[in-house]
C-alpha cells in the first residue's frame, strides 16, 4: 500500500513538470476573426490652374526666339502705350539705374562702425549729438581741435601772437621735424611735435583764465616796457602757486583786455584767451564802460551839457551815453561825475571832461558791460571770474 502511494506521488510530480500538450493550447487559445471591413475615402484637391497671360503677352512669348538650352527669364514691362509687354531683356531704365549706382561714390561710414567693438577710442571719436553741456564736456576732454600755429605758440606762453609770427617767419619753429614758415598752419599740440628754438612745446596747453584786477595808480597795462611797473607784477603770487594748482601744465601768458592809462585806476580784465579779448575790446561789441571822474572846482549845469555834447577824438566825434553829477559825500569834498561811454577810445573820458573846461583829479573805471568791480576787491587785488561773470560781459562760453 505504501509502495503504491509513493509511485502515485512520483507520477504526480513528473506530470507537474511536463510541457503542456498542443491539444491543450489549441483548446485554450482560439483565434478570433475580424468580420468588419475598413474602407477609406481619400481624395486630393485638384491642381491649381496656371494663370493665363493676356493675349498680347502670349503673342510676345511666341515671338521670342531663344537658343535651345538657354534659361528664359521673362520681363514684364509696361510700354509707352500703357500696355504690358513680355520681353527677354531687362528694361533699359533698370540697366541705366544699375550703371549709375556703380559709378556714384560710396558714402563714408562712421569711423566707429569700421573699428572693432572693443576699441573705445574709436567710439569717442564720433561726435555725440547730445546737449550743449555734454558737447562742451566732450570738446574739452576728448576732442582735439587743430589751431593756427601762431595762436598755439601764444597760448603756450612762448610770446605774443605777433612775436610768434616773427619767430615763424625767421624759421625758428619746426613742426614734425620740418621748418614751418606759415603762421596759418593748422597744428594740434597733442599730436604734432612742435619745437621753438630747439625747445619742445608742451602737449597740453594751459586752460583759459579770466581775472578781474583792481588796477592801482602808477601801473601800465603794457608788457614791453621794462622800466615801468606792469600790472602783471600784481599777479606774482598767482603764478607762484600755479604749479600746485595746475601740476604738469605750463604757465599761461596773460595780457590785459584793453588798457587803462598809468594815472587811471579801477577794473581791468586779464586773460590768455585772445578771442575773448578781441570781442570785449572791439567797439562792435557795444559794451558800455562806466567811469567815476573826480574833478577840481565847482561843476555847473553848463559843464554837464558840455560833457554830454561830446568832443572830437582822432577825427571821430565821441558822445557819452550818460553824464551824471553824483551827490557829494562828507569824506570826499571834490565833486564826482559818473560818465558812461561805449566806444572806449584812447583818453576818451579825459578829453570829454577837458573839453567842458574841467580838470580831472582822479579817474576810476568801475564797470564793464554788466560786470561791476566788487566793492571788497582792494587796490592791487585780483579775483578769478566765474561763468556767470563772463556772461555779464557778453561772452558766450
Amino acid at each position: 500500500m505504501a509502495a503504491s502511494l509513493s509511485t502515485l506521488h512520483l507520477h504526480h510530480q513528473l506530470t507537474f513538470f511536463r510541457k503542456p500538450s498542443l491539444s491543450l493550447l489549441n483548446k485554450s487559445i482560439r483565434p478570433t476573426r475580424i468580420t468588419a471591413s475598413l474602407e477609406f475615402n481619400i481624395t486630393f484637391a485638384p491642381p491649381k490652374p496656371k494663370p493665363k497671360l493676356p493675349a498680347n503677352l502670349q503673342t510676345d512669348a511666341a515671338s521670342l526666339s531663344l537658343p535651345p538650352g538657354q534659361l528664359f527669364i521673362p520681363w514684364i514691362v509696361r510700354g509707352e502705350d500703357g500696355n504690358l509687354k513680355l520681353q527677354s531683356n531687362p528694361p533699359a531704365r533698370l540697366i541705366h539705374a544699375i550703371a549709375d549706382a556703380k559709378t556714384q561714390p560710396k558714402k563714408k561710414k562712421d569711423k566707429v562702425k569700421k573699428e572693432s567693438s572693443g576699441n573705445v577710442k574709436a567710439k569717442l571719436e564720433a561726435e555725440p549729438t547730445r546737449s550743449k553741456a555734454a558737447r562742451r564736456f566732450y570738446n574739452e576732454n576728448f576732442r582735439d581741435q587743430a589751431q593756427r600755429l601762431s595762436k598755439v605758440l601764444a597760448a603756450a606762453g612762448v610770446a605774443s601772437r605777433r612775436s610768434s609770427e616773427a619767430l615763424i617767419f625767421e624759421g625758428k619753429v619746426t613742426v614734425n621735424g620740418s621748418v614751418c614758415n606759415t603762421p596759418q598752419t593748422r597744428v594740434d599740440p597733442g599730436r604734432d611735435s612742435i619745437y621753438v628754438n630747439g625747445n619742445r612745446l608742451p602737449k597740453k596747453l594751459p586752460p583759459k583764465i579770466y581775472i578781474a584786477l583792481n588796477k592801482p595808480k602808477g601801473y601800465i597795462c603794457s608788457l614791453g616796457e621794462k622800466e615801468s611797473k606792469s600790472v602783471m607784477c600784481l599777479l606774482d603770487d598767482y603764478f607762484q602757486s600755479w604749479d600746485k594748482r595746475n601740476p604738469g601744465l605750463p604757465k599761461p601768458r596773460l595780457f590785459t583786455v584793453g588798457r587803462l592809462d598809468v594815472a587811471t585806476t579801477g577794473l581791468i580784465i586779464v586773460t590768455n584767451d585772445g578771442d575773448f579779448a578781441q570781442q570785449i575790446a572791439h567797439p562792435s561789441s557795444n559794451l558800455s564802460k562806466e567811469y567815476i571822474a573826480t574833478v577840481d572846482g565847482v561843476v555847473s549845469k553848463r559843464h554837464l551839457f558840455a560833457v554830454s555834447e561830446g568832443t572830437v577824438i582822432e577825427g571821430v566825434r565821441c558822445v557819452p551815453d550818460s553824464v551824471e553829477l553824483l551827490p557829494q559825500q562828507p569824506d570826499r569834498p571834490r565833486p564826482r561825475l559818473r560818465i558812461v561811454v561805449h566806444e572806449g577810445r584812447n583818453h576818451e573820458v579825459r578829453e570829454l571832461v577837458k573839453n567842458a573846461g574841467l580838470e580831472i583829479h582822479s579817474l576810476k573805471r568801475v564797470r564793464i558791460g554788466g560786470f561791476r568791480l566788487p566793492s571788497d576787491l582792494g587796490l592791487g587785488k585780483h579775483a578769478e571770474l566765474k561763468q556767470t561773470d563772463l556772461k555779464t560781459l557778453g561772452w558766450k562760453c
Side-chain angles (χ1 to χ4, degrees):
M1 184 66 178
S4 62
L5 289 174
S6 61
T7 304
L8 181 61
H9 179 68
L10 181 62
H11 178 74
H12 178 72
Q13 289 179 352
L14 291 176
T15 55
F16 177 78
F17 291 103
R18 189 179 299 174
K19 292 182 179 180
S21 61
L22 185 60
S23 61
L24 294 174
L25 291 175
N26 292 334
K27 291 180 181 180
S28 60
I29 299 174
R30 294 181 181 180
T32 57
R33 294 181 181 180
I34 299 173
T35 57
S37 62
L38 298 176
E39 295 181 1
F40 298 94
N41 187 12
I42 300 175
T43 58
F44 297 93
K48 226 177 199 182
K50 295 183 179 180
K52 295 183 179 181
L53 295 175
N56 55 349
L57 295 182
Q58 290 180 0
T59 55
D60 293 341
S63 61
L64 293 175
S65 59
L66 296 173
Q70 183 177 350
L71 180 64
F72 172 66
I73 302 177
W75 294 87
I76 302 176
V77 184
R78 189 177 297 276
E80 296 180 355
D81 53 355
N83 298 326
L84 296 176
K85 295 182 180 180
L86 184 66
Q87 59 184 28
S88 60
N89 298 325
R93 61 177 178 271
L94 178 61
I95 297 176
H96 293 317
I98 295 175
D100 294 340
K102 291 182 179 180
T103 56
Q104 288 178 357
K106 296 181 179 180
K107 295 182 179 179
K108 294 182 180 180
K109 296 182 179 180
D110 196 358
K111 293 182 180 180
V112 183
K113 295 181 181 179
K114 292 182 180 180
E115 297 290 340
S116 60
S117 59
N119 195 349
V120 181
K121 185 177 180 181
K123 293 182 180 180
L124 295 177
E125 289 181 358
E127 185 171 359
T129 55
R130 303 292 182 183
S131 62
K132 186 177 180 181
R135 291 197 304 270
R136 187 189 302 115
F137 177 80
Y138 169 79
N139 294 332
E140 292 177 354
N141 295 275
F142 299 103
R143 186 176 180 181
D144 297 327
Q145 299 178 352
Q147 301 177 1
R148 289 178 296 169
L149 179 58
S150 59
K151 186 176 180 179
V152 170
L153 296 182
V158 175
S160 64
R161 192 170 296 188
R162 291 184 180 179
S163 300
S164 300
E165 292 178 356
L167 292 174
I168 295 172
F169 288 135
E170 293 173 2
K172 297 181 180 180
V173 181
T174 60
V175 179
N176 298 328
S178 302
V179 177
C180 183
N181 296 321
T182 308
Q184 292 81 13
T185 303
R186 296 282 178 174
V187 295
D188 183 4
R191 300 178 181 178
D192 298 325
S193 177
I194 305 173
Y195 283 83
V196 181
N197 291 328
N199 299 322
R200 172 68 184 268
L201 200 72
K203 292 185 177 182
K204 291 186 178 181
L205 298 178
K208 302 298 182 183
I209 298 172
Y210 310 91
I211 297 176
L213 176 66
N214 190 357
K215 175 188 171 299
K217 192 175 182 179
Y219 288 81
I220 63 172
C221 297
S222 178
L223 302 176
E225 301 177 4
K226 296 183 179 180
E227 62 274 6
S228 302
K229 293 185 297 183
S230 174
V231 293
M232 296 305 163
C233 300
L234 303 172
L235 301 175
D236 290 342
D237 56 343
Y238 179 81
F239 286 109
Q240 289 176 0
S241 60
W242 174 264
D243 295 334
K244 294 181 180 180
R245 291 181 287 107
N246 302 280
L249 294 178
K251 293 182 180 180
R253 181 186 176 275
L254 301 180
F255 52 87
T256 59
V257 180
R259 292 185 179 183
L260 291 177
D261 56 56
V262 66
T264 304
T265 62
L267 178 61
I268 188 75
I269 304 297
V270 182
T271 183
N272 62 340
D273 191 348
D275 297 333
F276 168 77
Q278 175 69 17
Q279 179 176 335
I280 300 302
H282 200 271
S284 61
S285 61
N286 291 325
L287 280 179
S288 61
K289 303 172 182 64
E290 182 179 341
Y291 294 82
I292 302 297
T294 305
V295 298
D296 294 328
V298 180
V299 179
S300 61
K301 290 184 179 180
R302 180 179 60 84
H303 296 113
L304 297 178
F305 285 135
V307 175
S308 60
E309 287 178 359
T311 184
V312 178
I313 302 175
E314 299 178 353
V316 180
R317 186 165 189 82
C318 300
V319 180
D321 295 345
S322 64
V323 180
E324 180 185 358
L325 179 61
L326 297 178
Q328 191 172 0
Q329 296 181 358
D331 55 341
R332 296 176 181 177
R334 292 184 176 87
R336 295 178 304 148
L337 297 177
R338 187 179 70 89
I339 303 174
V340 180
V341 297
H342 67 274
E343 294 184 4
R345 295 188 177 273
N346 191 21
H347 302 293
E348 181 178 358
V349 177
R350 293 184 179 273
E351 291 295 330
L352 289 172
V353 176
K354 182 181 178 180
N355 183 64
L358 298 173
E359 185 177 353
I360 289 183
H361 178 265
S362 64
L363 184 62
K364 181 180 182 180
R365 182 163 65 183
V366 296
R367 181 176 61 84
I368 299 177
F371 179 75
R372 186 173 293 274
L373 182 67
S375 58
D376 57 346
L377 191 64
L379 280 174
K381 302 299 180 180
H382 62 274
E384 291 195 43
L385 297 179
K386 302 178 181 179
Q387 295 293 334
T388 55
D389 300 331
L390 297 178
K391 290 182 180 180
T392 58
L393 291 168
W395 177 245
K396 298 179 180 179
C397 46

